[in-house]
Amino acid sequence: MGNTKPITAAPILSDRVRVNGVETPVTFTAEEGILRWSENRLSIAKEVLGITVEDSKIKIRAIKEKDDGGIICCGGNTKGTVRRSYNLEMLTEDSLRIWSQKLQEFIDSLGRPKRLFVFVNPYGGKRSASKIFIDSVKPLLDDANIDYTVQETKYQLHAKEVAKSLDILRYDGVVCVSGDGILVEVVNGLLEREDWDSAIKMPLGVVPAGTGNGMAKSLLDAVGLSCTASNATLAIIRGQKQSLDVATISQGQNRFFSVLMLAWGLIADIDIESEKYRWMGSARIDYYAIQRIFRLRRYNGCIKFLAAPGYETFGEPADPKGETISEVKSSLVQHKAYCGPALQMKDFNRKIEGPFVSVWLHNVPWGGEDALAAPDAKFSDGYLDLVVIKDCPKLTLLSLMTELNKGSHVKSPHVLYFKVKAFVLEPGTQLDDGSKEGIIDVDGEVLARGKGTYKSNYKTLMTYDKLYIKVDQGLATVFSPSIIS
């Protein structure tokens, strides 16, 4: 090996500054986006949130690894990081003007959002969203000089109403400090607008503050980050984005836009019926799951689908002849809102007949923070991941449920796991009691309740009958965390 020195990018700015009363050299390298002085090194893209000018000083607000020794603890804990503040005192007015301008121009070049509309759902989960916003979200947005408008949701579908009339030109993104429910409302509100095609391009951010948090968990886990409010907020501030598939669920003239999952059978029953034990907190799910498994229901019915390439052997051939598509066509109501991809019965060329223990359709990997329901799911591959259990011994089923946090349940011989482009659900009665039907759960809310079910007298958007589901690839956009070196 020779004595060749490594080639480094030439600094675009070099000067002297005063830090804690001591003069020291400072450099800023544009190509790397690195600011250096004394023993300090800051990556603008990865670590710097924002800058302000105070008298002759440039105040830099950043996020650093915890072992760096921070002065402000970052609420929510972001995988060992803390908020830090640095003051660089410039020696001349010209230096102050040039350095503040160049640093701000570099930050602006990163494509970060400058104005956000923030929904806070004070009623979701443990009713902690308002505190999470104040402790973990607001300080980071303030550090990043982001202007934001906060709207607390007052009732169910409030966020949807606001999204339908929101002046989208005023904002660079919409943030949901909540569980998954508010995100789903926002997506449905944007797609019911006449300008839906531009509205749905609005980047959406999710800060976990509810019960499910499946979307936030999926986005953060994809890059190895823990599911915290601070990690999610930093992802929004940094402004990286990715596309997200949207599934349109149609029945007659009704439609619902889903970004997470659809469940029917065991998973839906546990999710919805366990609400009667809400006083138990998160333990209600496990408690009720054991009850439901040992008093297992199986459901008559049929699913039909268009399998993704490589999965055409699942199920058996379906003959669409003689079936009407009037139900599908009638969903394309006569207004300018988004109506979903066109559907034709010939799309559904495979089928699986019941009875079923569970049918679970997933758009993202995680159904909640502890349920890796569909480990192979991708955010914008144009497919939904289908998890089907037709029959399974109760003790084996209990074991499968305990493996949900690892995603290993899909490897069981009792589980069918594959990808579909389009899907039809024809739900039926319970096998052991023909007078009772089931619940269809979409994105954590009840889409349809059959007769004899929990709260069956409550009104739902759709009836317990045939549903059509098809995916529009990459229709929505979400703020997405990324690993910045």
Side-chain angles (χ1 to χ4, degrees), residues 288-343:
Y288 193 67
I290 294 171
Q291 285 194 46
R292 272 281 52 86
I293 288 171
F294 284 102
R295 298 170 60 192
L296 193 62
R297 301 168 183 158
R298 295 174 71 203
Y299 290 90
N300 296 306
C302 179
I303 58 174
K304 297 175 183 176
F305 50 89
L306 171 62
Y311 299 93
E312 296 91 346
T313 58
F314 283 84
E316 57 188 23
D319 184 4
K321 291 180 181 177
E323 292 196 54
T324 176
I325 60 171
S326 59
E327 286 186 82
V328 189
K329 285 183 176 178
S330 63
S331 72
L332 306 182
V333 289
Q334 298 302 308
H335 58 75
K336 296 179 181 178
Y338 176 72
C339 293
L343 290 166

Short mmCIF file of all heavy atoms in Angstrom, two decimals, residues 288-343:
data_model
loop_
_atom_site.label_atom_id
_atom_site.label_comp_id
_atom_site.label_asym_id
_atom_site.label_seq_id
_atom_site.Cartn_x
_atom_site.Cartn_y
_atom_site.Cartn_z
N TYR A 288 -59.14 -12.26 24.72
CA TYR A 288 -60.28 -12.68 23.91
C TYR A 288 -59.87 -13.66 22.82
O TYR A 288 -60.67 -14.51 22.41
CB TYR A 288 -60.98 -11.46 23.30
CG TYR A 288 -62.34 -11.81 22.72
CD1 TYR A 288 -63.37 -12.20 23.55
CD2 TYR A 288 -62.56 -11.79 21.35
CE1 TYR A 288 -64.61 -12.56 23.03
CE2 TYR A 288 -63.79 -12.14 20.82
CZ TYR A 288 -64.81 -12.52 21.67
OH TYR A 288 -66.03 -12.88 21.16
N ALA A 289 -58.63 -13.57 22.34
CA ALA A 289 -58.16 -14.52 21.33
C ALA A 289 -58.23 -15.95 21.87
O ALA A 289 -58.65 -16.88 21.16
CB ALA A 289 -56.73 -14.18 20.91
N ILE A 290 -57.82 -16.13 23.13
CA ILE A 290 -57.89 -17.48 23.73
C ILE A 290 -59.33 -17.96 23.80
O ILE A 290 -59.63 -19.11 23.46
CB ILE A 290 -57.24 -17.44 25.14
CG1 ILE A 290 -55.74 -17.16 25.02
CG2 ILE A 290 -57.47 -18.76 25.87
CD1 ILE A 290 -55.05 -16.89 26.34
N GLN A 291 -60.23 -17.07 24.19
CA GLN A 291 -61.66 -17.44 24.23
C GLN A 291 -62.15 -17.88 22.85
O GLN A 291 -62.83 -18.90 22.72
CB GLN A 291 -62.49 -16.25 24.71
CG GLN A 291 -62.43 -15.97 26.19
CD GLN A 291 -63.53 -15.01 26.60
OE1 GLN A 291 -64.69 -15.17 26.21
NE2 GLN A 291 -63.16 -14.00 27.36
N ARG A 292 -61.82 -17.09 21.85
CA ARG A 292 -62.33 -17.35 20.50
C ARG A 292 -61.74 -18.63 19.91
O ARG A 292 -62.41 -19.34 19.16
CB ARG A 292 -62.03 -16.18 19.57
CG ARG A 292 -63.06 -15.10 19.56
CD ARG A 292 -64.32 -15.38 18.72
NE ARG A 292 -65.00 -16.62 18.97
CZ ARG A 292 -65.92 -16.81 19.92
NH1 ARG A 292 -66.26 -15.84 20.71
NH2 ARG A 292 -66.50 -17.98 20.05
N ILE A 293 -60.49 -18.91 20.22
CA ILE A 293 -59.85 -20.11 19.67
C ILE A 293 -60.47 -21.37 20.28
O ILE A 293 -60.74 -22.35 19.57
CB ILE A 293 -58.33 -20.06 19.90
CG1 ILE A 293 -57.71 -19.01 18.97
CG2 ILE A 293 -57.69 -21.43 19.65
CD1 ILE A 293 -56.25 -18.71 19.25
N PHE A 294 -60.72 -21.34 21.58
CA PHE A 294 -61.27 -22.55 22.21
C PHE A 294 -62.78 -22.69 22.02
O PHE A 294 -63.34 -23.74 22.29
CB PHE A 294 -60.88 -22.58 23.69
CG PHE A 294 -59.44 -22.98 23.88
CD1 PHE A 294 -58.46 -22.04 24.14
CD2 PHE A 294 -59.05 -24.31 23.71
CE1 PHE A 294 -57.13 -22.40 24.27
CE2 PHE A 294 -57.72 -24.68 23.84
CZ PHE A 294 -56.75 -23.72 24.13
N ARG A 295 -63.40 -21.63 21.54
CA ARG A 295 -64.81 -21.71 21.10
C ARG A 295 -64.83 -21.30 19.63
O ARG A 295 -65.51 -20.37 19.23
CB ARG A 295 -65.69 -20.82 21.96
CG ARG A 295 -65.68 -21.22 23.44
CD ARG A 295 -66.35 -20.17 24.30
NE ARG A 295 -67.73 -19.96 23.94
CZ ARG A 295 -68.47 -18.93 24.38
NH1 ARG A 295 -67.92 -18.02 25.17
NH2 ARG A 295 -69.73 -18.79 24.01
N LEU A 296 -64.08 -22.05 18.85
CA LEU A 296 -63.76 -21.64 17.48
C LEU A 296 -64.99 -21.65 16.57
O LEU A 296 -65.79 -22.58 16.58
CB LEU A 296 -62.70 -22.57 16.90
CG LEU A 296 -62.01 -22.14 15.60
CD1 LEU A 296 -61.27 -20.82 15.80
CD2 LEU A 296 -61.06 -23.22 15.12
N ARG A 297 -65.09 -20.58 15.79
CA ARG A 297 -66.13 -20.49 14.76
C ARG A 297 -65.51 -20.76 13.40
O ARG A 297 -64.38 -20.33 13.13
CB ARG A 297 -66.76 -19.10 14.75
CG ARG A 297 -67.39 -18.66 16.04
CD ARG A 297 -67.70 -17.17 15.96
NE ARG A 297 -68.24 -16.65 17.21
CZ ARG A 297 -68.21 -15.37 17.57
NH1 ARG A 297 -67.63 -14.48 16.76
NH2 ARG A 297 -68.71 -14.98 18.72
N ARG A 298 -66.25 -21.42 12.56
CA ARG A 298 -65.86 -21.55 11.16
C ARG A 298 -67.01 -21.01 10.31
O ARG A 298 -68.17 -21.13 10.67
CB ARG A 298 -65.56 -23.01 10.82
CG ARG A 298 -64.35 -23.56 11.58
CD ARG A 298 -64.17 -25.04 11.34
NE ARG A 298 -63.72 -25.30 9.98
CZ ARG A 298 -63.90 -26.47 9.36
NH1 ARG A 298 -64.53 -27.47 9.97
NH2 ARG A 298 -63.45 -26.65 8.14
N TYR A 299 -66.64 -20.40 9.21
CA TYR A 299 -67.62 -19.68 8.39
C TYR A 299 -67.73 -20.29 7.00
O TYR A 299 -66.71 -20.57 6.35
CB TYR A 299 -67.22 -18.21 8.27
CG TYR A 299 -67.37 -17.43 9.56
CD1 TYR A 299 -66.31 -17.33 10.46
CD2 TYR A 299 -68.57 -16.81 9.88
CE1 TYR A 299 -66.44 -16.63 11.65
CE2 TYR A 299 -68.71 -16.09 11.07
CZ TYR A 299 -67.64 -16.01 11.94
OH TYR A 299 -67.78 -15.31 13.11
N ASN A 300 -68.98 -20.48 6.57
CA ASN A 300 -69.21 -20.83 5.17
C ASN A 300 -68.90 -19.62 4.30
O ASN A 300 -68.93 -18.48 4.77
CB ASN A 300 -70.67 -21.24 4.96
CG ASN A 300 -71.01 -22.51 5.71
OD1 ASN A 300 -70.34 -23.52 5.57
ND2 ASN A 300 -72.05 -22.44 6.54
N GLY A 301 -68.63 -19.88 3.03
CA GLY A 301 -68.36 -18.77 2.13
C GLY A 301 -67.41 -19.17 1.02
O GLY A 301 -67.05 -20.35 0.87
N CYS A 302 -67.01 -18.18 0.24
CA CYS A 302 -66.11 -18.43 -0.89
C CYS A 302 -65.30 -17.16 -1.16
O CYS A 302 -65.79 -16.05 -0.98
CB CYS A 302 -66.94 -18.80 -2.13
SG CYS A 302 -65.96 -19.10 -3.63
N ILE A 303 -64.05 -17.35 -1.55
CA ILE A 303 -63.24 -16.22 -2.00
C ILE A 303 -62.80 -16.50 -3.44
O ILE A 303 -62.50 -17.64 -3.80
CB ILE A 303 -62.02 -15.97 -1.10
CG1 ILE A 303 -61.11 -17.19 -1.00
CG2 ILE A 303 -62.46 -15.53 0.29
CD1 ILE A 303 -59.82 -16.95 -0.23
N LYS A 304 -62.81 -15.47 -4.24
CA LYS A 304 -62.34 -15.55 -5.62
C LYS A 304 -61.28 -14.48 -5.81
O LYS A 304 -61.33 -13.42 -5.18
CB LYS A 304 -63.49 -15.36 -6.60
CG LYS A 304 -64.56 -16.44 -6.48
CD LYS A 304 -65.75 -16.17 -7.37
CE LYS A 304 -66.83 -17.24 -7.16
NZ LYS A 304 -68.05 -16.94 -7.93
N PHE A 305 -60.32 -14.73 -6.69
CA PHE A 305 -59.22 -13.80 -6.79
C PHE A 305 -58.48 -13.92 -8.11
O PHE A 305 -58.60 -14.93 -8.82
CB PHE A 305 -58.23 -14.02 -5.62
CG PHE A 305 -57.81 -15.45 -5.43
CD1 PHE A 305 -56.71 -15.98 -6.09
CD2 PHE A 305 -58.54 -16.29 -4.59
CE1 PHE A 305 -56.33 -17.30 -5.92
CE2 PHE A 305 -58.17 -17.62 -4.40
CZ PHE A 305 -57.06 -18.12 -5.06
N LEU A 306 -57.74 -12.87 -8.42
CA LEU A 306 -56.76 -12.89 -9.50
C LEU A 306 -55.40 -12.97 -8.83
O LEU A 306 -54.95 -12.02 -8.18
CB LEU A 306 -56.87 -11.62 -10.35
CG LEU A 306 -55.75 -11.42 -11.39
CD1 LEU A 306 -55.74 -12.54 -12.41
CD2 LEU A 306 -55.89 -10.06 -12.08
N ALA A 307 -54.77 -14.13 -8.93
CA ALA A 307 -53.49 -14.34 -8.25
C ALA A 307 -52.38 -13.54 -8.93
O ALA A 307 -52.39 -13.33 -10.14
CB ALA A 307 -53.14 -15.82 -8.23
N ALA A 308 -51.42 -13.09 -8.12
CA ALA A 308 -50.24 -12.43 -8.66
C ALA A 308 -49.38 -13.46 -9.39
O ALA A 308 -49.48 -14.66 -9.14
CB ALA A 308 -49.45 -11.79 -7.53
N PRO A 309 -48.52 -13.01 -10.31
CA PRO A 309 -47.62 -13.95 -11.00
C PRO A 309 -46.81 -14.78 -10.01
O PRO A 309 -46.26 -14.26 -9.04
CB PRO A 309 -46.71 -13.01 -11.82
CG PRO A 309 -47.54 -11.78 -12.04
CD PRO A 309 -48.36 -11.63 -10.80
N GLY A 310 -46.78 -16.08 -10.26
CA GLY A 310 -46.07 -16.99 -9.38
C GLY A 310 -46.95 -17.65 -8.34
O GLY A 310 -46.52 -18.56 -7.64
N TYR A 311 -48.20 -17.19 -8.24
CA TYR A 311 -49.12 -17.74 -7.24
C TYR A 311 -50.38 -18.34 -7.88
O TYR A 311 -51.39 -18.53 -7.23
CB TYR A 311 -49.53 -16.65 -6.24
CG TYR A 311 -48.37 -16.07 -5.47
CD1 TYR A 311 -47.70 -14.93 -5.92
CD2 TYR A 311 -47.93 -16.66 -4.29
CE1 TYR A 311 -46.63 -14.40 -5.21
CE2 TYR A 311 -46.86 -16.14 -3.57
CZ TYR A 311 -46.21 -15.01 -4.04
OH TYR A 311 -45.16 -14.48 -3.34
N GLU A 312 -50.29 -18.63 -9.18
CA GLU A 312 -51.48 -19.07 -9.92
C GLU A 312 -51.97 -20.46 -9.53
O GLU A 312 -53.08 -20.85 -9.90
CB GLU A 312 -51.22 -19.04 -11.43
CG GLU A 312 -50.93 -17.65 -12.00
CD GLU A 312 -49.45 -17.30 -12.00
OE1 GLU A 312 -48.67 -18.01 -11.33
OE2 GLU A 312 -49.08 -16.32 -12.67
N THR A 313 -51.17 -21.20 -8.78
CA THR A 313 -51.59 -22.56 -8.42
C THR A 313 -52.44 -22.60 -7.15
O THR A 313 -52.99 -23.64 -6.80
CB THR A 313 -50.36 -23.46 -8.20
OG1 THR A 313 -49.55 -22.90 -7.17
CG2 THR A 313 -49.55 -23.59 -9.48
N PHE A 314 -52.55 -21.46 -6.47
CA PHE A 314 -53.36 -21.45 -5.25
C PHE A 314 -54.85 -21.50 -5.61
O PHE A 314 -55.29 -20.88 -6.57
CB PHE A 314 -53.07 -20.20 -4.42
CG PHE A 314 -51.78 -20.28 -3.66
CD1 PHE A 314 -50.57 -19.94 -4.26
CD2 PHE A 314 -51.76 -20.70 -2.34
CE1 PHE A 314 -49.38 -20.02 -3.57
CE2 PHE A 314 -50.57 -20.79 -1.63
CZ PHE A 314 -49.38 -20.45 -2.25
N GLY A 315 -55.62 -22.24 -4.80
CA GLY A 315 -57.05 -22.38 -5.07
C GLY A 315 -57.30 -23.29 -6.24
O GLY A 315 -56.45 -24.09 -6.64
N GLU A 316 -58.49 -23.17 -6.80
CA GLU A 316 -58.88 -23.96 -7.96
C GLU A 316 -59.50 -23.04 -9.00
O GLU A 316 -59.88 -21.91 -8.68
CB GLU A 316 -59.87 -25.05 -7.54
CG GLU A 316 -61.11 -24.52 -6.85
CD GLU A 316 -61.96 -25.65 -6.29
OE1 GLU A 316 -61.42 -26.73 -6.05
OE2 GLU A 316 -63.16 -25.43 -6.11
N PRO A 317 -59.59 -23.48 -10.26
CA PRO A 317 -60.14 -22.59 -11.29
C PRO A 317 -61.55 -22.12 -10.96
O PRO A 317 -62.37 -22.89 -10.46
CB PRO A 317 -60.12 -23.47 -12.56
CG PRO A 317 -59.09 -24.50 -12.29
CD PRO A 317 -59.15 -24.77 -10.82
N ALA A 318 -61.82 -20.87 -11.22
CA ALA A 318 -63.16 -20.30 -11.03
C ALA A 318 -63.74 -19.99 -12.39
O ALA A 318 -63.07 -19.45 -13.27
CB ALA A 318 -63.08 -19.02 -10.19
N ASP A 319 -64.99 -20.37 -12.58
CA ASP A 319 -65.67 -20.11 -13.85
C ASP A 319 -66.57 -18.89 -13.68
O ASP A 319 -67.62 -18.96 -13.04
CB ASP A 319 -66.51 -21.33 -14.25
CG ASP A 319 -67.15 -21.13 -15.62
OD1 ASP A 319 -66.88 -20.10 -16.25
OD2 ASP A 319 -67.93 -22.02 -16.03
N PRO A 320 -66.16 -17.74 -14.25
CA PRO A 320 -66.95 -16.52 -14.06
C PRO A 320 -68.19 -16.45 -14.94
O PRO A 320 -68.96 -15.52 -14.85
CB PRO A 320 -65.96 -15.41 -14.43
CG PRO A 320 -65.06 -16.05 -15.45
CD PRO A 320 -64.95 -17.50 -15.05
N LYS A 321 -68.39 -17.44 -15.81
CA LYS A 321 -69.52 -17.38 -16.72
C LYS A 321 -70.84 -17.38 -15.94
O LYS A 321 -71.01 -18.09 -14.96
CB LYS A 321 -69.50 -18.59 -17.67
CG LYS A 321 -68.34 -18.53 -18.67
CD LYS A 321 -68.36 -19.74 -19.59
CE LYS A 321 -67.20 -19.70 -20.58
NZ LYS A 321 -67.15 -20.90 -21.42
N GLY A 322 -71.74 -16.58 -16.42
CA GLY A 322 -73.05 -16.52 -15.80
C GLY A 322 -73.13 -15.55 -14.63
O GLY A 322 -74.21 -15.28 -14.12
N GLU A 323 -71.99 -15.05 -14.18
CA GLU A 323 -72.02 -14.10 -13.07
C GLU A 323 -72.15 -12.68 -13.62
O GLU A 323 -71.57 -12.32 -14.63
CB GLU A 323 -70.73 -14.21 -12.24
CG GLU A 323 -70.63 -15.52 -11.48
CD GLU A 323 -69.57 -15.43 -10.40
OE1 GLU A 323 -69.66 -14.50 -9.57
OE2 GLU A 323 -68.67 -16.27 -10.40
N THR A 324 -72.93 -11.89 -12.92
CA THR A 324 -73.16 -10.53 -13.37
C THR A 324 -72.06 -9.60 -12.86
O THR A 324 -71.47 -9.86 -11.81
CB THR A 324 -74.52 -10.01 -12.87
OG1 THR A 324 -74.66 -8.64 -13.26
CG2 THR A 324 -74.62 -10.09 -11.35
N ILE A 325 -71.80 -8.54 -13.60
CA ILE A 325 -70.85 -7.53 -13.12
C ILE A 325 -71.59 -6.23 -12.83
O ILE A 325 -70.98 -5.19 -12.66
CB ILE A 325 -69.71 -7.29 -14.13
CG1 ILE A 325 -70.27 -6.79 -15.47
CG2 ILE A 325 -68.88 -8.52 -14.31
CD1 ILE A 325 -69.19 -6.33 -16.43
N SER A 326 -72.91 -6.30 -12.77
CA SER A 326 -73.68 -5.08 -12.53
C SER A 326 -73.33 -4.47 -11.19
O SER A 326 -73.29 -3.26 -11.03
CB SER A 326 -75.18 -5.37 -12.58
OG SER A 326 -75.53 -6.35 -11.61
N GLU A 327 -73.06 -5.32 -10.19
CA GLU A 327 -72.69 -4.80 -8.88
C GLU A 327 -71.43 -3.96 -8.97
O GLU A 327 -71.30 -2.96 -8.30
CB GLU A 327 -72.46 -5.96 -7.91
CG GLU A 327 -73.71 -6.66 -7.45
CD GLU A 327 -73.36 -7.68 -6.38
OE1 GLU A 327 -73.21 -7.27 -5.21
OE2 GLU A 327 -73.24 -8.85 -6.71
N VAL A 328 -70.51 -4.41 -9.80
CA VAL A 328 -69.25 -3.71 -9.92
C VAL A 328 -69.45 -2.39 -10.66
O VAL A 328 -68.98 -1.34 -10.24
CB VAL A 328 -68.22 -4.59 -10.65
CG1 VAL A 328 -66.86 -3.95 -10.58
CG2 VAL A 328 -68.20 -5.98 -10.04
N LYS A 329 -70.16 -2.45 -11.75
CA LYS A 329 -70.37 -1.25 -12.54
C LYS A 329 -71.13 -0.19 -11.77
O LYS A 329 -70.85 0.99 -11.88
CB LYS A 329 -71.13 -1.59 -13.83
CG LYS A 329 -70.28 -2.30 -14.87
CD LYS A 329 -71.08 -2.54 -16.14
CE LYS A 329 -70.21 -3.16 -17.23
NZ LYS A 329 -70.99 -3.43 -18.45
N SER A 330 -72.12 -0.61 -10.96
CA SER A 330 -72.94 0.37 -10.27
C SER A 330 -72.17 1.13 -9.21
O SER A 330 -72.62 2.14 -8.72
CB SER A 330 -74.14 -0.33 -9.62
OG SER A 330 -73.71 -1.24 -8.64
N SER A 331 -70.98 0.61 -8.83
CA SER A 331 -70.19 1.33 -7.84
C SER A 331 -69.54 2.57 -8.45
O SER A 331 -69.07 3.44 -7.73
CB SER A 331 -69.10 0.43 -7.25
OG SER A 331 -68.10 0.19 -8.21
N LEU A 332 -69.51 2.65 -9.77
CA LEU A 332 -68.90 3.81 -10.42
C LEU A 332 -69.93 4.93 -10.49
O LEU A 332 -70.53 5.18 -11.53
CB LEU A 332 -68.39 3.42 -11.81
CG LEU A 332 -67.44 2.22 -11.81
CD1 LEU A 332 -66.95 1.95 -13.21
CD2 LEU A 332 -66.27 2.44 -10.89
N VAL A 333 -70.20 5.53 -9.36
CA VAL A 333 -71.25 6.51 -9.24
C VAL A 333 -70.95 7.73 -10.09
O VAL A 333 -69.80 8.02 -10.39
CB VAL A 333 -71.46 6.90 -7.77
CG1 VAL A 333 -72.08 5.76 -7.00
CG2 VAL A 333 -70.16 7.32 -7.14
N GLN A 334 -72.02 8.46 -10.40
CA GLN A 334 -71.90 9.54 -11.37
C GLN A 334 -71.45 10.85 -10.72
O GLN A 334 -72.20 11.80 -10.59
CB GLN A 334 -73.24 9.73 -12.10
CG GLN A 334 -73.69 8.52 -12.89
CD GLN A 334 -72.65 8.10 -13.93
OE1 GLN A 334 -72.22 8.92 -14.73
NE2 GLN A 334 -72.29 6.84 -13.91
N HIS A 335 -70.23 10.89 -10.24
CA HIS A 335 -69.63 12.15 -9.84
C HIS A 335 -68.13 12.04 -10.06
O HIS A 335 -67.63 11.02 -10.51
CB HIS A 335 -69.99 12.53 -8.40
CG HIS A 335 -69.58 11.50 -7.39
ND1 HIS A 335 -68.29 11.31 -7.00
CD2 HIS A 335 -70.32 10.61 -6.70
CE1 HIS A 335 -68.23 10.37 -6.09
NE2 HIS A 335 -69.46 9.92 -5.90
N LYS A 336 -67.42 13.10 -9.75
CA LYS A 336 -66.03 13.17 -10.17
C LYS A 336 -65.04 12.59 -9.17
O LYS A 336 -63.85 12.66 -9.38
CB LYS A 336 -65.67 14.63 -10.47
CG LYS A 336 -66.48 15.22 -11.63
CD LYS A 336 -66.11 16.67 -11.86
CE LYS A 336 -66.93 17.27 -13.01
NZ LYS A 336 -66.61 18.70 -13.23
N ALA A 337 -65.53 12.05 -8.07
CA ALA A 337 -64.62 11.45 -7.09
C ALA A 337 -64.01 10.17 -7.66
O ALA A 337 -64.49 9.60 -8.64
CB ALA A 337 -65.36 11.16 -5.79
N TYR A 338 -62.95 9.72 -7.01
CA TYR A 338 -62.27 8.49 -7.43
C TYR A 338 -63.18 7.29 -7.22
O TYR A 338 -63.81 7.15 -6.17
CB TYR A 338 -60.99 8.34 -6.61
CG TYR A 338 -60.23 7.06 -6.85
CD1 TYR A 338 -59.53 6.85 -8.03
CD2 TYR A 338 -60.20 6.07 -5.88
CE1 TYR A 338 -58.81 5.69 -8.24
CE2 TYR A 338 -59.48 4.90 -6.07
CZ TYR A 338 -58.79 4.72 -7.25
OH TYR A 338 -58.07 3.57 -7.45
N CYS A 339 -63.25 6.44 -8.22
CA CYS A 339 -64.14 5.29 -8.14
C CYS A 339 -63.40 3.96 -8.09
O CYS A 339 -64.03 2.90 -8.07
CB CYS A 339 -65.10 5.27 -9.34
SG CYS A 339 -66.28 6.64 -9.32
N GLY A 340 -62.10 3.99 -8.09
CA GLY A 340 -61.34 2.75 -8.02
C GLY A 340 -61.07 2.18 -9.40
O GLY A 340 -61.65 2.60 -10.41
N PRO A 341 -60.18 1.20 -9.48
CA PRO A 341 -59.86 0.56 -10.76
C PRO A 341 -61.08 -0.15 -11.33
O PRO A 341 -61.97 -0.59 -10.60
CB PRO A 341 -58.76 -0.45 -10.40
CG PRO A 341 -58.29 -0.07 -9.04
CD PRO A 341 -59.42 0.61 -8.37
N ALA A 342 -61.14 -0.26 -12.64
CA ALA A 342 -62.23 -0.99 -13.28
C ALA A 342 -62.18 -2.46 -12.90
O ALA A 342 -61.10 -3.05 -12.79
CB ALA A 342 -62.15 -0.83 -14.80
N LEU A 343 -63.34 -3.06 -12.69
CA LEU A 343 -63.43 -4.46 -12.30
C LEU A 343 -64.20 -5.26 -13.35
O LEU A 343 -65.20 -4.79 -13.88
CB LEU A 343 -64.15 -4.59 -10.96
CG LEU A 343 -63.42 -4.09 -9.72
CD1 LEU A 343 -64.38 -3.98 -8.56
CD2 LEU A 343 -62.29 -5.02 -9.37
#
